[in-house]
Amino acid sequence: MNHFAKRLPLLLLLATLPAQTTANEAPQPVPAATQNNAPIRTTIGMPKEILELVLPGSELEALPATSASNVIVRIDDVRPHGTAHRYALTFTGLQAGSYDLRDFLQHKDHTPLSETPKIPIQIDSILPKEQTQPNALKSTAPTPLGGYATTMLVLACSWLLLLCVILFVGRKRKRNATLATQQQTLAERLLPLVLAAQQGQLQRERLAELEWLLLSVWRTRLGLEQRTAAEAIQVMREHKEAGALLRQLEQWLHAPSSSSSTDVEALLRPYAALPAPNEPGGPL
Amino acid sequence: MTRTAAKSPERTAATVRFIDAVRTRVATVVVGQDVVVERLLIALFTGGHILLQGVPGIAKTLLAAVLSRAIDLQFARVQFTIDLLPSDILGSEILDQRTNTFQVYQGPIFTNLLLTDEINRAAPKVQGALLEAMQERKVTIGKQTYKLPAPFLVIATQNPIEQAGTFELPEAQLDRFMLCHRLAYLPAEQEKEVLRRNLQLGVRREDNGAIARTEFDVIQNEPVGSKDDLVQAMEAVHDVHVSETFLDHVIEILCRTRNHPAIALGCSPRAGIALIKSARARALIHGREYVVPEDLFMLSEDCLMHRMRLNYEALADGRTVKSVLEELLTDLGAPRSAATRNGELFAAKATSATAAATTTADTAS
């Protein structure tokens, strides 16, 4: 509501614009002010335009302005009007008082302005007499928080903040979860599988994971991380201790119908107590 | 769960002897290259095709020739060039002017072992015709469809350098090759042995002149095995046991290639099939009745790398398919969500690995 009240003068001004344009397109022959001999009024420093002013005689021009000039006149447009001329003038008053605009005009051919009718103008002063300085600005109360622009700004900032929260907090949480899974040591991941397998409770689907982890254990223990997987497994199979254990593991997991003949508990016993990361044989 | 129980230990033992004999025969002509021979045998035993990537002059053709003669297989070689036509490989109908009828001329593809040298030099039309024949194992000439001989193995070669004027095989066509093996230069000692053997070749008198003998002249014509041995080996491969745990491993790797942040195109199900087939054949070659993770690690590069494509970010970071695959294999067993869904984690790990390598280097120095 407040916003509408603020915008009301602007809306009214916009509503008057078409009418003004129409007036410009169909100008009056002579301004009423000049016909009634009533002075055309303006204030100091504010230009005033006179349109469709028909003045007899030869063409007029503005007198050159001097430092003593109280009014400055500019002829915007001149068109012939029978034996007379039709003018569009703009004048700006520099000193308050009543003047005749003829005093600031002259014929181009320098003939006297005897035929030209009087054009009275009145320059008013907004400031009181003797006051030479402009009025001091009145302190206005600050505008209350609100309004369309402020509301939109606040909403945009809030949305951006929310977006940042969604993007970064969620991602960070997910990454932390992933890193937490990744940061589990090999031993921590292997132990539950080994214990479950020893008790015969490991699901068949997890046997593959158990085998990869056991291969990783030996790869780490024998320092083969920098070797390719193919090279590493060949070295592991040729290693005295690792090779024997891995062959038993392969026998258990891959040989046909041999799972019953493999002592799984004994096979996995060496892995049930893997060294901690800071112990010899680690890190795992 | 048992995929296929070991049915005949005798057959396995016979196959192992056959493989040893072939390898010994190959070794009389080709120095080293044990891994390539193994990969060729894997392809032969599983009915897959193999793409060899390597610079010229590392005995790719010689290897194929000696292998074919050792197993008594028909062998043909086609050098791919830009002006090669599909009919140059598949064959065509030729008008017999005496009888005014069309006679079918079968192309070099009608063989057991086809070596296609520099496959990427031929136009895509020719590549497509060959790869279609490889897949379907039959060829249509005119209105007649002909089955290709069994066994049928294509050994294609590709030069990793000199890419100007070549037509790179698209991923869909690369996928048709069960294995893609990257050949490297021989170790210095083996290369010295190559030179030593070459010094002893001498010259061969022919007509009124003489020509310098090559390694091809040394190849013995008597085979050490027959097609029956090969068929027996192919059957023995199917007896190799594949455990459920091994299948889990393969699935784990395939899923990781599809979810890895650096990979734009992961491995197809065909890659998994190829990996298991190859692992079975490798297990047999090594005298095992069941596959083990070692087979997976040893074959993953040849089975998976040519089926993976990195994304632009990874390429811009200077990463290679090999390094990403190695990272995948190293991370097996790690929680998949952690390893595959968080690209930053990979970056952090790469950074820490670099830091660790730097530390190691510093310590060493």
Side-chain angles (χ1 to χ4, degrees):
Chain A
M1 193 63 196
N2 184 22
H3 162 69
F4 183 74
K6 276 186 174 178
R7 294 286 185 273
L8 190 59
L10 180 64
L11 292 172
L12 288 173
L13 181 66
L14 288 172
T16 59
L17 274 178
Q20 204 173 24
T21 311
T22 312
N24 288 345
E25 283 170 357
Q28 299 297 317
V30 178
T34 52
Q35 280 186 341
N36 298 339
N37 228 9
I40 302 166
R41 305 182 78 94
T42 185
T43 54
I44 293 173
M46 296 304 292
K48 184 74 178 180
E49 204 173 25
I50 305 171
L51 300 172
E52 305 299 334
L53 176 62
V54 177
L55 295 174
S58 61
E59 189 180 341
L60 292 168
E61 64 179 3
L63 277 172
T66 62
S67 57
S69 300
N70 290 336
V71 175
I72 297 170
V73 180
R74 185 180 72 232
I75 296 176
D76 298 325
D77 189 29
V78 183
R79 279 175 290 164
H81 185 83
T83 57
H85 287 87
R86 187 189 297 261
Y87 296 91
L89 303 173
T90 304
F91 68 91
T92 308
L94 303 178
Q95 193 71 40
S98 297
Y99 302 97
D100 185 353
L101 204 58
R102 288 185 305 173
D103 299 339
F104 305 99
L105 297 168
Q106 64 178 11
H107 283 295
K108 277 190 175 176
D109 54 5
H110 298 290
T111 54
L113 294 166
S114 53
E115 292 179 9
T116 308
K118 196 175 178 185
I119 309 167
I121 59 170
Q122 175 68 43
I123 309 297
D124 299 321
S125 172
I126 294 172
L127 295 176
K129 277 188 177 178
E130 310 302 331
Q131 182 178 340
T132 54
Q133 295 296 321
N135 290 324
L137 287 173
K138 288 178 184 174
S139 60
T140 54
T143 54
L145 188 65
Y148 179 75
T150 314
T151 309
M152 290 310 295
L153 190 67
V154 169
L155 280 175
C157 290
S158 309
W159 169 237
L160 280 175
L161 277 172
L162 186 65
L163 190 67
C164 290
V165 169
I166 291 169
L167 284 178
F168 295 107
V169 174
R171 184 177 292 180
K172 194 176 174 186
R173 195 178 297 154
K174 195 185 287 180
R175 188 169 53 196
N176 287 344
T178 309
L179 285 174
T181 315
Q182 195 65 21
Q183 281 164 358
Q184 270 191 324
T185 62
L186 205 51
E188 283 168 349
R189 290 174 51 213
L190 181 62
L191 194 60
L193 296 179
V194 168
L195 294 176
Q198 282 181 322
Q199 292 162 10
Q201 293 172 347
L202 188 65
Q203 293 168 333
R204 198 207 56 76
E205 294 79 30
R206 301 204 71 185
L207 288 174
E209 187 185 349
L210 174 68
E211 187 172 29
W212 289 135
L213 289 174
L214 293 177
L215 288 173
S216 300
V217 166
W218 280 110
R219 197 172 177 181
T220 311
R221 190 173 280 182
L222 300 180
L224 302 170
E225 293 96 333
Q226 302 301 322
R227 307 281 284 272
T228 65
E231 289 170 351
I233 199 160
Q234 282 186 315
V235 174
M236 286 189 282
R237 283 171 67 86
E238 285 165 12
H239 189 264
K240 191 181 173 188
E241 187 186 359
L245 285 167
L246 290 178
R247 269 189 288 277
Q248 283 181 52
L249 184 70
E250 287 168 359
Q251 182 79 17
W252 171 43
L253 293 175
H254 299 289
S257 311
S258 65
S259 52
S260 57
S261 63
T262 307
D263 185 356
V264 178
E265 202 279 330
L267 170 66
L268 297 177
R269 200 175 298 139
Y271 307 104
L274 287 171
N278 52 357
E279 288 178 22
L284 290 175
Chain B
M1 183 181 150
T2 305
R3 292 287 114 198
T4 309
K7 287 173 185 167
S8 170
E10 296 80 21
R11 184 162 62 191
T12 305
T15 302
V16 171
R17 281 196 300 276
F18 163 64
I19 291 165
D20 285 343
V22 171
R23 296 188 88 153
T24 308
R25 170 59 62 86
V26 172
T28 59
V29 181
V30 181
V31 180
Q33 306 284 24
D34 293 339
V35 179
V36 192
V37 176
E38 183 189 283
R39 299 299 188 266
L40 287 173
L41 289 174
I42 288 172
L44 206 52
F45 293 167
T46 55
H49 304 286
I50 184 166
L51 176 64
L52 299 177
Q53 279 190 342
V55 290
I58 44 179
K60 295 188 288 282
T61 310
L62 183 66
L63 204 53
V66 70
L67 187 67
S68 62
R69 287 199 210 170
I71 315 177
D72 197 16
L73 296 175
Q74 282 181 297
F75 172 65
R77 176 181 178 275
V78 181
Q79 176 68 47
F80 274 34
T81 53
I82 182 70
D83 55 353
L84 197 74
L85 294 172
S87 58
D88 295 336
I89 303 171
L90 307 181
S92 58
E93 285 183 320
I94 297 171
L95 180 66
D96 187 344
Q97 292 186 341
R98 284 177 301 180
T99 58
N100 260 352
T101 54
F102 281 100
Q103 299 292 324
V104 172
Y105 159 74
Q106 293 187 338
I109 199 167
F110 289 88
T111 185
N112 296 124
L113 211 59
L114 177 69
L115 178 71
T116 58
D117 251 340
E118 299 196 85
I119 189 171
N120 55 336
R121 294 221 171 265
K125 191 166 59 175
V126 181
Q127 293 176 356
L130 173 68
L131 293 164
E132 194 180 337
M134 283 163 58
Q135 183 74 14
E136 296 177 6
R137 292 177 192 276
K138 58 187 177 187
V139 168
T140 302
I141 303 171
K143 292 177 181 173
Q144 196 71 34
T145 301
Y146 299 90
K147 281 179 73 176
L148 292 175
F152 174 64
L153 171 69
V154 172
I155 305 170
T157 70
Q158 197 169 251
N159 191 343
I161 55 168
E162 294 175 26
Q163 295 300 315
T166 62
F167 300 91
E168 192 185 356
L169 289 173
E171 273 74 10
Q173 293 192 347
L174 278 175
D175 201 29
R176 305 274 175 89
F177 286 100
M178 193 177 82
L179 298 168
C180 175
H181 185 72
R182 288 133 194 101
L183 287 129
Y185 287 117
L186 292 171
E189 194 53 44
Q190 289 183 353
E191 197 159 350
K192 195 173 174 184
E193 177 62 23
V194 171
L195 301 180
R196 203 177 286 131
R197 287 190 189 184
N198 189 270
L199 286 173
Q200 296 165 356
L201 288 175
V203 293
R204 174 161 50 92
R205 286 181 177 275
E206 203 167 286
D207 300 331
N208 292 328
I211 51 171
R213 278 161 55 95
T214 66
E215 284 78 3
F216 285 91
D217 297 319
V218 186
I219 300 173
Q220 297 173 42
N221 283 322
E222 308 82 54
V224 292
S226 62
K227 278 186 190 172
D228 288 339
D229 293 322
L230 183 59
V231 170
Q232 202 171 36
M234 290 172 88
E235 285 171 349
V237 166
H238 283 270
D239 292 344
V240 173
H241 175 73
V242 179
S243 65
E244 283 290 320
T245 307
F246 190 85
L247 293 181
D248 288 341
H249 291 334
V250 173
I251 293 295
E252 175 84 4
I253 292 175
L254 295 183
C255 289
R256 280 171 187 264
T257 64
R258 292 168 197 161
N259 297 321
H260 195 284
I263 298 176
L265 178 71
C267 290
S268 63
R270 195 184 277 166
I273 294 168
L275 197 51
I276 288 178
K277 276 184 173 179
S278 315
R280 276 177 135 183
R282 187 177 184 275
L284 180 73
I285 291 168
H286 286 261
R288 271 185 276 113
E289 293 177 345
Y290 53 90
V291 293
V292 294
E294 185 196 5
D295 300 321
L296 199 63
F297 285 128
M298 300 305 288
L299 292 165
S300 54
E301 190 177 313
D302 287 357
C303 287
L304 306 182
M305 253 176 69
H306 64 291
R307 294 178 161 103
M308 292 161 55
R309 193 202 295 163
L310 296 187
N311 58 25
Y312 289 117
E313 289 85 354
L315 290 171
D317 287 345
R319 304 183 74 182
T320 59
V321 178
K322 191 173 182 177
S323 69
V324 171
L325 178 64
E326 191 51 45
E327 187 181 288
L328 274 174
L329 295 175
T330 307
D331 284 340
L332 283 171
R336 195 187 299 173
S337 57
T340 57
R341 291 184 195 156
N342 197 332
E344 291 174 16
L345 189 63
F346 274 94
K349 287 180 78 174
T351 313
S352 62
T354 312
T358 313
T359 313
T360 312
D362 288 346
T363 313
S365 65

